[in-house]
Amino acid sequence: MAGELLRVDVGDLTFDVRADGPEDGRPVVLLHGFPETSASWAAVTPRLTEAGLRTYAVDQLGYSPGARPQEVEAYALTNLAQVTADLMTAMEVPVADVVGHDWGANVAWALAAWHPDRVRSLTAVSVPHPTAFTAAFRSDPEQKERSAYIRLFWQAGKAEEVLLADDARRLRRMYGSGSGWAVDPEAIDEYVAVLSAPGALTAALNWYRAMSSATPVDDVAVPTTYVWSDADMAIGRTAAEGCAAHVTGDYRFVELAGISHWIPEQAPDRLATAILDRIASR
């Protein structure tokens, strides 16, 4: 992934951020999900920078080696949103177009809900508004089945052992299998190497262990695009279509046919088009 690697201090945390595009370009903050890194945006970024945008792809809390607190509560969504806002401040980015995939989408939703002055527009990828997901998880048997893997992730120690055993065979399987790899095998090797470092996978899984519906995420008023793919193994249609009820601003739902959960890797051009269209609307 081209560009410049920044190390940005936020209190006693140091984040790795891949910056690309013209320094005076309109800023776009890119937030990755589990189990990936900022490298997941490698195929999307060139389209954005060619349009004159300045991209900041963040290795998020727990993924940046210098920003890996041990306490589970550090990974609560309220803190993840605040840390992202503080990171933007440290990068001298007062407001940005924010794009998030998977867990990065959850952070982006929370940032837009609780810090709307920092978000010019939102493009959420794969994961819908947290309230829409929670409602589907509670009422839709299909979504409960799709989300069954989370119960393993909640088991401290056991989940790490299961996912990393046998050269991280089960972790690797999350990205696809055999001839059906959704993510480039070299990228998978990079993700596995990052998550195999001491404490790294535990930090990433702490995002799940800190999950709570006790702090509801407000509806979002900023202009929003939600991109979902109908072959997503983690998010079903009920959750995806329920998302619209939690956006009070301009809202677009972009559905990609035949694409898996790994939209930034499998459909980078279509995702970039959706991002650019949303940015152009502002």
Side-chain angles (χ1 to χ4, degrees):
M1 188 170 177
E4 176 186 4
L5 180 62
L6 309 177
R7 287 196 163 83
V8 183
D9 292 332
V10 178
D12 60 355
L13 305 173
T14 301
F15 286 88
D16 296 341
V17 181
R18 300 173 197 243
D20 208 346
E23 290 191 9
D24 62 348
R26 176 167 162 168
V28 180
V29 173
L30 302 168
L31 303 172
H32 70 82
F34 177 87
E36 299 191 296
T37 69
S38 59
S40 64
W41 300 106
V44 177
T45 299
R47 282 283 307 278
L48 305 183
T49 57
E50 286 165 11
L53 302 170
R54 174 72 165 171
T55 59
Y56 298 91
V58 180
D59 282 334
Q60 295 215 72
L61 193 72
Y63 294 83
S64 287
R68 192 169 286 160
Q70 294 184 0
E71 307 81 12
V72 172
E73 56 268 25
Y75 301 89
L77 190 55
T78 47
N79 192 53
L80 295 170
Q82 184 62 58
V83 164
T84 304
D86 293 344
L87 176 62
M88 291 171 63
T89 299
M91 295 191 298
E92 299 183 355
V93 178
V95 62
D97 298 284
V98 178
V99 183
H101 173 246
D102 185 79
W103 261 109
N106 267 336
V107 177
W109 285 113
L111 189 69
W114 296 329
H115 304 271
D117 57 317
R118 310 305 300 271
V119 181
R120 184 178 281 118
S121 75
L122 167 64
T123 303
V125 188
S126 299
V127 171
H129 188 284
T131 305
F133 173 81
T134 299
F137 181 76
R138 288 174 175 170
S139 65
D140 178 32
E142 180 190 0
Q143 187 58 58
K144 286 184 180 181
E145 184 176 345
R146 287 173 183 264
S147 300
Y149 67 92
I150 295 175
R151 297 192 181 280
L152 169 63
F153 291 179
W154 285 340
Q155 298 179 53
K158 181 179 179 181
E160 288 87 333
E161 181 181 346
V162 167
L163 291 173
L164 292 177
D166 192 16
D167 189 31
R169 178 173 58 87
R170 290 177 180 84
L171 180 60
R172 292 175 187 274
R173 191 189 298 164
M174 293 181 65
Y175 306 100
S177 61
S179 60
W181 290 115
V183 178
D184 181 271
E186 289 187 7
I188 295 172
D189 287 342
E190 179 181 339
Y191 298 147
V192 170
V194 169
L195 291 169
S196 296
L201 182 56
T202 295
L205 290 170
N206 279 344
W207 289 54
Y208 290 91
R209 293 165 186 165
M211 288 172 70
S212 173
S213 59
T215 306
V217 178
D218 300 332
D219 289 353
V220 168
V222 305
T224 297
T225 295
Y226 172 48
V227 183
W228 175 74
S229 45
D230 66 2
D232 191 315
M233 72 288 192
I235 303 295
R237 185 171 293 278
T238 298
E241 293 186 347
C243 189
H246 301 285
V247 181
T248 60
D250 179 56
Y251 178 72
R252 300 174 186 173
F253 177 44
V254 176
E255 180 177 336
L256 303 180
I259 301 298
S260 77
H261 181 75
W262 312 107
I263 293 174
E265 289 94 349
Q266 275 199 298
D269 287 343
R270 281 183 279 176
L271 176 55
T273 296
I275 295 168
L276 290 169
D277 286 349
R278 171 46 66 197
I279 289 174
S281 75
R282 291 285 284 167

